[in-house]
Amino acid sequence: MEKEIAGFGASGRNGGWCSALFPWSTTLLAKEFGIEKAKALRMAMIESVDQIGKLTKELGIDCDYQKAGTYTLIRSAAQNQKAIAAIEEARQFGVDGLTLLDAKNSPLATISQGAVFDPACASIHPAKLVRGLAVAFEKLGGTLFETTQVFDFKPGSVRTSQGDFTGEFIVDALEGYRSTLPGKKRESLPLYSLMIVTEPIPSEVLDGLGIKPGATFADFRNLIIYGQRTKDNRIAFGGRGAPYHFGSRVRNSYDRVPAIHAHLERELKDLFPELARYRITDRWGGALGVSRDWMASVKLDPVTKIAQAGGYVGDGVGTSHLAGKILADLILSRDTPETSLCLVNHSSPKWEVEPLRFIAARGAMVAARLADKLESFTGRKSFISRIIGWLTGK
Ligand SMILES: Cc1cc2nc3c(=O)[nH]c(=O)nc-3n(C[C@H](O)[C@H](O)[C@H](O)COP(=O)(O)OP(=O)(O)OC[C@H]3O[C@@H](n4cnc5c(N)ncnc54)[C@H](O)[C@@H]3O)c2cc1C
């Protein structure tokens, strides 16, 4: 059941990073669940990137899948500390194949000292992927009820704008929209991420900048940015910073915030001044879902037969694929290596009541901005950034 059309949500409008990234760092996963469980989840995430490539090929979904890896640029001494920590963490656990690149082997961004390269990332066209999956689902015999708004659900039945439906299992996959259902305001926090895209840019220009076909890029700042060279040679570029809305409200009008879109344009130009002469053709945004402990989870209550998956934060392309596989296994009572992963049946605490939630979410945004300013000034990882890391599982 989908209120609008399949892909209306974050899945149809994201940055197209099909990555092995996960909201919690490997170190935190190891601390909470043990080293072996942490490594198993990292491996499952890395495999998900390839499985999406394989599955879309098998299903004939042309979603511009290109596995060209991701470059996290190092643009200050403070970011260099984080890069070294990322390489050290990968070395310690021995699963992620991160490498440190010098400036001439990474995208040629301004004041870049190089990058950390992670091969476990493909780029995709999100809307082509999700629409392709919807078509494949129907071809396999599934029925998709679009323009069907769910008002509420309880064990065995769902109340919708098209009437009541019954079913043995119910999967709540509302993610950034979960808070819009009765009684669920504190389960998931809708965090807005906004995007811009350039007109097509000549290949020589992008090649000259060291942005390889299909590559994705970011840097180590606190207020996340993310970019992708699309199949048709545009740069799709996004970032956080849009405001949280009181009461976990989600509205279509929140998808476009002129000040944040202008900020993204400035940041893209700051990274690659050569791109300033190319037009920004589209601006949009959307809500992603954040659980109180920033941990993604997949769960099935064997008594009520209600399942839930989400809390992917900004890493939902790969993680929702893994979650989908786990949901199928749980519902069909299949014991698989994936059903013993540490995100299975994990319970996150609830978010605070308002106005505390509002103060925390808005405060975190201001803190991330401040930490970036301090770090570029002092060259050291800031105290605020450590607190943000501690609060967000990094
Ligand atoms: C701008 C942006 C950029 C992002 N970039 C990346 C990225 O590059 N890589 C990455 O891995 N992740 C990224 N993410 C996160 C990722 O897109 C999400 O984690 C993922 O798509 C979540 O998928 P989902 O199916 O769980 O939720 P969604 O795709 O949000 O689907 C939820 C659906 O529920 C529907 N719905 C809402 N209310 C109701 C209701 N009452 N009844 C019925 N249906 C309802 C919505 O219309 C929506 O289609 C980004 C997110 C955003 C917003």
Side-chain angles (χ1 to χ4, degrees):
M1 273 113 210
E2 161 61 56
K3 185 179 169 198
E4 310 285 346
I5 59 158
F8 175 83
S11 301
R13 40 170 120 178
N14 61 59
W17 285 44
C18 173
S19 77
L21 295 173
F22 189 78
W24 273 18
S25 68
T26 321
T27 306
L28 185 58
L29 288 168
K31 198 167 148 226
E32 287 293 315
F33 303 106
I35 293 177
E36 290 315 312
K37 290 263 181 196
K39 283 163 73 163
L41 182 64
R42 290 300 320 135
M43 273 187 282
M45 286 301 305
I46 292 169
E47 279 162 18
S48 288
V49 176
D50 292 331
Q51 281 167 7
I52 291 172
K54 195 163 158 266
L55 182 78
T56 48
K57 203 165 172 194
E58 277 167 17
L59 294 172
I61 300 172
D62 177 10
C63 63
D64 301 349
Y65 182 96
Q66 302 181 83
K67 194 174 174 204
T70 191
Y71 297 80
T72 310
L73 296 157
I74 305 165
R75 300 181 70 237
S76 68
Q79 292 196 11
N80 195 37
Q81 279 181 298
K82 295 180 198 174
I84 290 167
I87 295 280
E88 174 52 31
E89 184 185 61
R91 194 200 54 74
Q92 187 192 340
F93 292 98
V95 184
D96 289 275
L98 303 190
T99 44
L100 194 58
L101 302 178
D102 58 20
K104 61 177 191 308
N105 287 307
S106 24
L108 301 175
T110 52
I111 51 169
S112 166
Q113 303 163 19
V116 171
F117 179 69
D118 182 355
C121 184
S123 58
I124 49 109
H125 184 305
K128 287 187 185 177
L129 172 62
V130 69
R131 296 300 299 167
L133 284 170
V135 170
F137 169 75
E138 289 193 319
K139 275 195 192 146
L140 289 167
T143 308
L144 184 61
F145 294 89
E146 293 186 310
T147 59
T148 303
Q149 180 176 2
V150 171
F151 297 131
D152 205 357
F153 59 86
K154 58 180 190 208
S157 76
V158 183
R159 198 164 58 82
T160 82
S161 55
Q162 306 293 335
D164 290 353
F165 288 79
T166 55
E168 189 182 354
F169 290 92
I170 293 167
V171 178
D172 168 356
L174 285 166
E175 190 61 340
Y177 302 82
R178 180 162 299 121
S179 57
T180 62
L181 253 60
K184 304 223 176 250
K185 278 213 177 332
R186 294 173 59 199
E187 284 193 16
S188 173
L189 184 125
L191 184 70
Y192 274 82
S193 202
L194 267 52
M195 294 203 61
I196 55 175
V197 70
T198 67
E199 63 183 324
I201 298 170
S203 300
E204 319 76 82
V205 174
L206 295 176
D207 292 344
L209 288 170
I211 308 174
K212 298 189 176 143
T216 56
F217 58 88
D219 66 14
F220 281 98
R221 74 183 71 185
N222 294 290
L223 199 60
I224 290 170
I225 49 135
Y226 46 89
Q228 177 200 157
R229 173 173 171 177
T230 66
K231 192 84 181 267
D232 61 350
N233 283 331
R234 298 165 188 266
I235 294 293
F237 187 73
R240 305 262 169 88
Y244 163 81
H245 297 274
F246 194 88
S248 295
R249 279 196 310 261
V250 180
R251 301 264 189 284
N252 292 344
S253 57
Y254 302 160
D255 295 347
R256 289 187 176 83
V257 182
I260 301 298
H261 281 129
H263 158 79
L264 289 173
E265 262 186 69
R266 277 196 307 276
E267 292 304 316
L268 181 60
K269 282 178 196 164
D270 178 55
L271 278 168
F272 301 107
E274 293 83 344
L275 299 185
R277 61 196 147 108
Y278 297 99
R279 226 163 29 87
I280 302 297
T281 57
D282 297 277
R283 296 165 180 83
W284 71 96
L288 45 90
V290 185
S291 62
R292 177 63 182 83
D293 58 2
W294 290 72
M295 174 70 182
S297 65
V298 186
K299 49 194 168 192
L300 170 66
D301 182 327
V303 178
T304 62
K305 297 192 173 175
I306 291 178
Q308 190 188 87
Y312 315 123
V313 193
D315 307 321
V317 175
T319 320
S320 64
H321 171 82
L322 179 62
K325 181 168 187 319
I326 296 170
L327 282 170
D329 289 340
L330 292 176
I331 288 169
L332 297 172
S333 303
R334 290 191 299 229
D335 225 347
T336 62
E338 286 84 1
T339 56
S340 56
L341 290 172
C342 57
L343 79 167
V344 179
N345 291 327
H346 171 81
S347 270
S348 301
K350 286 190 177 206
W351 281 95
E352 283 73 6
V353 290
E354 295 290 24
L356 291 177
R357 201 157 72 238
F358 180 83
I359 295 166
R362 289 274 177 119
M365 214 67 88
V366 173
R369 248 187 225 115
L370 186 64
D372 284 330
K373 285 218 165 83
L374 278 176
E375 288 179 358
S376 61
F377 183 66
T378 63
R380 286 194 312 276
K381 188 171 169 179
S382 71
F383 175 64
I384 306 172
S385 143
R386 280 176 224 278
I387 297 177
I388 295 170
W390 176 69
L391 288 172
T392 61
K394 295 285 178 280

